[in-house]
Amino acid sequence: MSDSHLCTIAQHGVAWLTLNRPDKRNALTRTLLAEMLIDVRKLAANPDVRVIVLNGSGSVFCAGMDLAEMQEVAESPDAETFWQQDAQLFCDLLTAIFTTPKPVIAVLQGPALAGGVGLVLACDLVLAAETAYFSLPEPRRGIVPSIVTPLLTYRMAAGGASSMLISGERIMAARAREWGLCHDVVPADELGTRTDELIAALLTGSPQALAETKRQLIHSAGNDVVGRLEAAVEASAAARKTTDAREGLAAFLEKRPPSWQPET
């Protein structure tokens, strides 16, 4: 276990990736994203790893991108370069999780917001406590969840995706299961037991058969998720250049309502 904000433990064929910034609601910094990308790629190439579990410490699974860091970038003279790099990094991480030949389980002890929803959507199976919820509040911050959108529309029908993307409302785990975002929802005190049961079931499967099954699932969807993720990088970076994006981030950090300006 490292001293970073990501704890990675692999034993008995199972690798646990734990987001470990509970005091910051496991918000994603560029350093944390880079560490996750390195570890996911290593685990994907490790023949001793059969299953990957992604979870979070504290009461929140992941609150999305670290908005304080985003504000610092917005004030930097190299902001556009950083925005492009950050969008590409997030895309690379989601692609790595989505395409790894190992089954990946997301275990939500609490809410997943914004980019945290993207992490969940990239996983194959999602277990959630009854109190967990999903939210895509980016428009309320003046930004756009461009890189999350291809995975969202891959996992669920367009109607539900539209509701989440546009309303920004919380979607409780039970409703998310109806929409295909969760595969099992249990009381919080049963989450560990259910996770162990699912891991045990996956370990009975053939690694080669599971890897091929994942490839077939992605291919059969026919909507080129990986290509759409890559195409979303430019849109994500461009959305952060707007005056609304700057106002939305500032308002959130200053704990005040944003003052949106009409387009000119």
Side-chain angles (χ1 to χ4, degrees), residues 81-264:
T81 298
F82 284 128
W83 284 326
Q84 186 76 25
Q85 292 173 348
D86 291 349
Q88 187 65 58
L89 178 58
F90 187 49
C91 172
D92 290 346
L93 174 59
L94 296 189
T95 300
I97 296 171
F98 184 66
T99 60
T100 179
K102 326 283 184 175
V104 185
I105 307 171
V107 179
L108 278 65
Q109 86 291 10
L113 295 85
V117 175
L119 292 180
V120 174
L121 294 172
C123 297
D124 301 293
L125 296 165
V126 181
L127 304 181
E130 291 174 334
T131 51
Y133 63 84
F134 297 78
S135 178
L136 293 171
E138 282 90 338
R140 298 178 182 180
R141 313 285 182 257
I143 52 180
V144 180
S146 303
I147 298 175
V148 174
T149 300
L151 286 168
L152 185 66
T153 54
Y154 170 75
R155 297 293 182 192
M156 64 191 299
S162 174
S163 175
M164 284 193 69
L165 289 165
I166 294 175
S167 75
E169 293 181 334
R170 294 181 178 183
I171 307 299
M172 296 304 298
R175 187 178 179 192
R177 177 173 53 188
E178 296 175 0
W179 286 357
L181 297 183
C182 281
H183 302 96
D184 206 352
V185 179
V186 298
D189 60 359
E190 297 178 15
L191 191 59
T193 298
R194 183 67 188 103
T195 301
D196 291 341
E197 291 173 349
L198 184 53
I199 290 171
L202 291 172
L203 290 175
T204 65
S206 154
Q208 293 182 9
L210 287 170
E212 180 58 25
T213 297
K214 287 193 63 170
R215 282 192 289 268
Q216 290 292 334
L217 279 168
I218 294 172
H219 175 74
S220 297
N223 54 4
D224 187 20
V225 177
V226 174
R228 290 169 60 207
L229 282 169
E230 191 64 39
V233 170
E234 292 292 337
S236 178
R240 299 186 190 186
K241 302 176 185 178
T242 66
T243 55
D244 275 1
R246 294 177 183 273
E247 168 60 14
L249 289 174
F252 177 81
L253 294 171
E254 294 168 11
K255 298 181 173 20
R256 61 171 173 81
S259 177
W260 307 125
Q261 300 301 313
E263 290 187 53
T264 57

Side-chain angles (χ1 to χ4, degrees), residues 15-117:
W16 296 79
L17 265 65
T18 304
L19 302 173
N20 192 34
R21 295 188 75 202
D23 57 321
K24 298 296 185 182
R25 305 197 305 164
N26 295 321
L28 302 169
T29 63
R30 65 172 59 89
T31 298
L32 179 52
L33 290 172
E35 290 178 353
M36 290 183 70
L37 179 58
I38 291 170
D39 282 5
V40 169
R41 286 174 171 171
K42 285 181 178 178
L43 295 173
N46 185 344
D48 294 327
V49 172
R50 300 272 308 281
V51 178
I52 300 172
V53 181
L54 177 60
N55 63 354
S57 58
S59 61
V60 176
F61 171 77
C62 179
M65 299 302 170
D66 188 311
L67 296 186
E69 184 177 76
M70 286 181 64
Q71 181 72 337
E72 290 178 6
V73 169
E75 296 170 354
S76 164
D78 298 319
E80 292 191 16
T81 298
F82 284 128
W83 284 326
Q84 186 76 25
Q85 292 173 348
D86 291 349
Q88 187 65 58
L89 178 58
F90 187 49
C91 172
D92 290 346
L93 174 59
L94 296 189
T95 300
I97 296 171
F98 184 66
T99 60
T100 179
K102 326 283 184 175
V104 185
I105 307 171
V107 179
L108 278 65
Q109 86 291 10
L113 295 85
V117 175

